[in-house]
Amino acid sequence: MQAYGLTVDRFLDHAARWHGQVPVVTAGQGEDAVIGYAALKDRAERLSGAFLDMGLVPGDRLATLAWNTRHHVEVWYGAMGVGIVCHTLNPRLTVAHLTAMITEAEDRVLIVGQGLGDLGRELMAACPCIEKLILMDGDAAKMETGARPEIEIEALLAQSGRPATWGGFDENAPAGLCFTSGTTGAPKGVLYSHRANYLSTLRCLQADALALTGSDAVLVAVPMFHANAWGLPFAAAAVGATMVLPGRVTDGKSLARLINAHGVTVAMGVPTVWLGLIDYLDASGEETPTLERVVVGGSGIADALLKRIEDRLGATVQTSWGMTELSPMGTISPPARTPGAARASGRAPVGLDMQLFDANGVALPEQRNVVGHLKVRGHSVVERYYGHEETALDAGGWFDTGDLAEIDDAGNLTLSGRSKDLIKSGGEWINPAEMESIVGAMPSVGLVAVIGRFDARWGERPVMVIEPRQGHAVNDNEVLAALRGKVADWWLPDRIVSVETMPLAATGKINKTQLRATYGAA
């Protein structure tokens, strides 16, 4: 067989050659910006040449601090195509967190999106490793005097853009770097190889997974700065699907306009995004008739919200589970969801093995219909974190996800909560996920989270934080009544807090670290 390196540049090569006129759309304040795959590839190749002329070499890290836009896609492929590592940064993190990540990665170039120029300049001042700042998405250049100038991306292309040859390096070379979201602990870097991303893309495209085709228009509402945007910039290009990028705005009104303007058939994002969309549709009376499927992930989704999304959008909801450390897809429900499997996160496409263990790391003798600690292994699973010498795997080569989970007879995975989220009260364990599922089904509840609060007598006691659904109020007695008889009385929260807005990580997950800092102290 021929030697054929599994490098991610081949996805855009394929799209440009066989689907060259298929559009990649970026939401605009006036008209949306549209470019075909062939033209996008041409620009990305010229960016590659500009990066090389800056002195970047394969293996160097280039950081992006940007939204879901065409320019960001061009930078991804322009860097990865010549072996430069694309380090995606979360614009919603603090300067201190971003500085630590940039410094650890030793990023040489920082590329920032619309409205992030001042943050980029602040990071340049704090990070001596950054040699150049590049502005994109229409931000005007503001040239600085000094050793580390900045330039706008169109000016960079005009001055030093030249086609560069893609590929030709080892498929095990690093392609991207992403730090974990840090919602439950300190962020850690995950370094993705080309081979891992290539094989992960093939897993995603299976008929029982994302099942994308060239006839689809895909709304990428999951951030490109987190976990490869679920691999969608690779997967959409691989099949020549229309890619619709919302920029920095993902409110319900904006998403409804994009869906209807560009005939979106498949939309992907966290549950909070779709909650905003259906709230807008309910208020406006608009419809989204082209939408066929909505893929949710990033955090669990209550049955009531899942049903509400399907009923209001007339689309099938595919639930999924994944992690930054898994590139990120772990499991996904098929496009035609099995009745009765609404809460399950689906099955694992080929390439990922799963096994349940007890608290001591011993594999459970029975792997079906029991709750255990979930561990995984596969071709796109992290082996060690960036900059760490020690492995992230156990002696058997398994990665501990930190999740409690159950696998049914059909192989469907249902998460039962994070092991770190368990609350130990009086020597006994309380599982927040069970209470969150019950209360999350209440019509008045939008989002809910349960955390542990220090208690001098019991060690910890549960506190429930609720964001009411728009236009509703939450009654504490009704919440407690919904829980009684379904969980043990001693599980009932000592305090119920109603908040106007639940703190979220940029990925849409509820930020329990912040909730603990606010409500978890004595």
Side-chain angles (χ1 to χ4, degrees):
M1 294 294 110
Q2 295 180 7
Y4 187 91
L6 305 184
T7 54
V8 299
D9 54 281
R10 296 189 184 276
F11 296 134
L12 189 53
D13 270 338
H14 175 85
R17 184 174 183 187
W18 302 109
H19 309 278
Q21 302 308 310
V22 171
V24 175
V25 179
T26 302
Q29 294 180 343
E31 291 187 3
D32 297 333
V34 180
I35 189 173
Y37 277 116
L40 189 148
K41 185 208 170 190
D42 175 73
R43 288 172 55 87
E45 280 187 325
R46 291 195 292 124
L47 274 177
S48 297
F51 294 153
L52 294 175
D53 285 350
M54 289 178 192
L56 296 177
V57 298
D60 279 346
R61 271 75 63 201
L62 172 153
T64 65
L65 189 74
W67 317 106
N68 290 20
T69 67
R70 177 195 85 194
H71 280 153
H72 202 177
V73 175
E74 291 168 352
V75 168
W76 270 34
Y77 280 103
M80 296 181 198
V82 289
I84 297 167
V85 180
C86 186
H87 175 198
T88 52
L89 293 165
N90 181 343
R92 300 188 179 102
L93 293 178
T94 65
V95 171
H97 278 124
L98 292 169
T99 298
M101 293 174 182
I102 290 169
T103 302
E104 183 175 347
E106 298 180 298
D107 297 320
R108 294 184 58 191
V109 172
L110 175 61
I111 303 181
V112 300
Q114 188 177 51
L116 298 171
D118 288 342
L119 177 56
R121 295 177 190 108
E122 192 172 354
L123 290 170
M124 278 195 78
C127 304
C129 58
I130 299 176
E131 302 167 15
K132 186 179 287 289
L133 179 68
I134 299 173
L135 305 174
M136 62 182 181
D137 301 336
D139 274 11
K142 176 184 175 185
M143 298 303 295
E144 300 283 349
T145 58
R148 295 181 292 166
E150 62 183 70
I151 189 171
E152 201 271 333
I153 196 166
E154 296 299 338
L156 176 67
L157 280 170
Q159 292 176 19
S160 55
R162 62 172 179 82
T165 302
W166 283 356
F169 46 83
D170 192 289
E171 63 183 27
N172 292 298
L177 175 63
C178 181
F179 280 73
T180 59
S181 62
T183 54
T184 58
K188 296 185 287 292
V190 178
L191 189 66
Y192 302 113
S193 70
H194 280 263
R195 179 179 185 273
N197 279 350
Y198 195 103
L199 293 176
S200 179
T201 301
L202 299 186
R203 290 182 69 240
C204 289
L205 291 173
Q206 292 179 60
D208 272 347
L210 295 184
L212 297 183
T213 73
S215 300
D216 282 312
V218 184
L219 175 63
V220 185
V222 58
M224 287 179 63
F225 53 74
H226 180 69
N228 296 324
W230 300 357
L232 295 175
F234 302 141
V239 298
T242 296
M243 187 159 36
V244 181
L245 303 164
R248 66 182 300 173
V249 181
T250 56
D251 63 277
K253 181 177 181 180
S254 299
L255 294 183
R257 185 194 67 78
L258 281 174
I259 290 168
N260 289 328
H262 302 287
V264 168
T265 57
V266 183
M268 305 191 190
V270 296
T272 49
V273 168
W274 311 124
L275 185 61
L277 175 61
I278 57 179
D279 280 344
Y280 169 75
L281 295 178
D282 283 346
S284 67
E286 293 181 31
E287 303 291 339
T288 52
T290 63
L291 194 58
E292 299 170 0
R293 290 188 285 134
V294 173
V295 182
V296 297
S299 59
I301 181 169
D303 288 352
L305 177 55
L306 187 151
K307 186 176 187 304
R308 186 179 171 213
I309 294 173
E310 288 194 326
D311 290 347
R312 184 63 185 83
L313 300 181
T316 299
V317 172
Q318 288 181 259
T319 50
S320 67
W321 163 77
M323 302 177 69
T324 303
E325 292 90 338
L326 274 59
S327 301
M329 180 185 284
T331 63
I332 186 168
S333 62
R337 199 177 69 255
T338 305
R343 287 189 58 227
S345 295
R347 298 189 294 268
V350 65
L352 185 79
D353 292 332
M354 303 187 299
Q355 195 163 5
L356 300 176
F357 293 76
D358 66 17
N360 297 315
V362 178
L364 297 180
E366 178 54 60
Q367 288 288 312
R368 294 291 188 267
N369 304 308
V370 294
V371 175
H373 294 256
L374 179 64
K375 296 186 180 184
V376 298
R377 61 186 179 189
H379 54 60
S380 298
V381 177
V382 70
E383 180 182 358
R384 59 175 47 84
Y385 290 104
Y386 182 79
H388 292 222
E389 291 296 328
E390 68 276 12
T391 182
L393 310 181
D394 67 13
W398 293 95
F399 173 75
D400 189 347
T401 66
D403 286 303
L404 299 172
E406 182 176 348
I407 303 171
D408 68 15
D409 290 329
N412 290 298
L413 178 77
T414 298
L415 299 182
S416 303
R418 297 283 293 171
S419 58
K420 291 182 180 179
D421 288 345
L422 294 178
I423 298 168
K424 199 166 192 177
S425 185
E428 300 291 337
W429 292 109
I430 296 173
N431 189 347
E434 290 190 37
M435 290 192 285
E436 291 165 354
S437 177
I438 294 167
V439 174
M442 296 177 63
S444 61
V445 173
L447 297 173
V448 58
V450 177
I451 60 166
R453 178 186 176 95
F454 174 78
D455 185 273
R457 179 180 181 184
W458 301 107
E460 285 185 302
R461 289 297 299 153
V463 173
M464 178 172 286
V465 183
I466 295 174
E467 177 188 316
R469 183 175 161 188
Q470 189 175 25
H472 292 73
V474 174
N475 181 285
D476 291 0
N477 290 328
E478 291 178 357
V479 171
L480 294 174
L483 291 169
R484 285 195 176 96
K486 296 180 181 176
V487 301
D489 284 348
W490 59 273
W491 279 33
L492 297 177
D494 285 1
R495 182 185 178 196
I496 299 173
V497 180
S498 184
V499 297
E500 183 176 340
T501 304
M502 186 75 74
L504 303 176
T507 56
K509 296 179 183 178
I510 293 175
N511 193 331
K512 287 196 171 181
T513 298
Q514 186 173 336
L515 288 178
R516 291 187 187 101
T518 305
Y519 303 107

